[in-house]
Amino acid sequence: SDALLWFERAAEQKDADSLYALAQCHRDGCGVPKNLEKAVSYLTMAVEQKCSEAMYDLSECYKYGRGVACDGKKAQELYQQAEEAEYC
C-alpha cells in the first residue's frame, strides 16, 4: 500500500514513528505477511531512536518470547527504559 511505502521510506531515515508503525504492521500482518522476527527488528531500531512505545512493546516480546527467545532480564530493562521515557 502507499502508506506502507511511505513508512518504509521514512524508516530508512531512522524515523522512530515509522519504524514503530512498520513493527506493528509486521506483528499484526497488516499489509504484509505476519513476521514477528521482522517486527522485533523494527522495534529494536525504534528503541535505538528512543521510541517509548517500542520500548514497551519490545519488552513484551522478550517477556513472552514473541519473535525472540524469552529473556526476563532484557524485558525488565526495556520496561524500565519505557517507564523512564514516560510511556503511558
Side-chain angles (χ1 to χ4, degrees), residues 5 13-14 18-19 34 37-40 52 58 70-72 75:
L5 179 62
Q13 303 302 314
K14 306 272 191 241
S18 295
L19 291 164
K34 187 173 183 174
E37 290 80 13
K38 262 192 176 175
V40 167
S52 62
L58 190 55
C70 284
D71 185 335

Side-chain angles (χ1 to χ4, degrees), residues 55 59 71-84:
M55 292 170 189
S59 75
D71 185 335
K73 183 178 178 188
K74 183 72 173 172
Q76 185 60 33
E77 289 171 4
L78 286 160
Y79 182 77
Q80 284 183 296
Q81 285 179 19
E83 191 174 78
E84 290 167 9

Side-chain angles (χ1 to χ4, degrees), residues 31-45:
V32 294
K34 187 173 183 174
N35 184 326
L36 295 178
E37 290 80 13
K38 262 192 176 175
V40 167
S41 177
Y42 281 117
L43 285 172
T44 301
M45 289 187 274

Side-chain angles (χ1 to χ4, degrees), residues 1-37:
S1 78
D2 287 341
L4 192 61
L5 179 62
W6 285 109
F7 284 138
E8 289 171 346
R9 287 183 180 169
E12 289 172 4
Q13 303 302 314
K14 306 272 191 241
D15 178 74
D17 292 332
S18 295
L19 291 164
Y20 182 64
L22 284 170
Q24 291 177 308
C25 290
H26 285 282
R27 179 193 66 203
D28 300 335
C30 181
V32 294
K34 187 173 183 174
N35 184 326
L36 295 178
E37 290 80 13

Side-chain angles (χ1 to χ4, degrees), residues 51-66:
C51 176
S52 62
E53 292 90 350
M55 292 170 189
Y56 179 80
D57 284 6
L58 190 55
S59 75
E60 293 287 294
C61 291
Y62 278 101
K63 181 177 179 179
Y64 296 107
R66 296 181 186 140

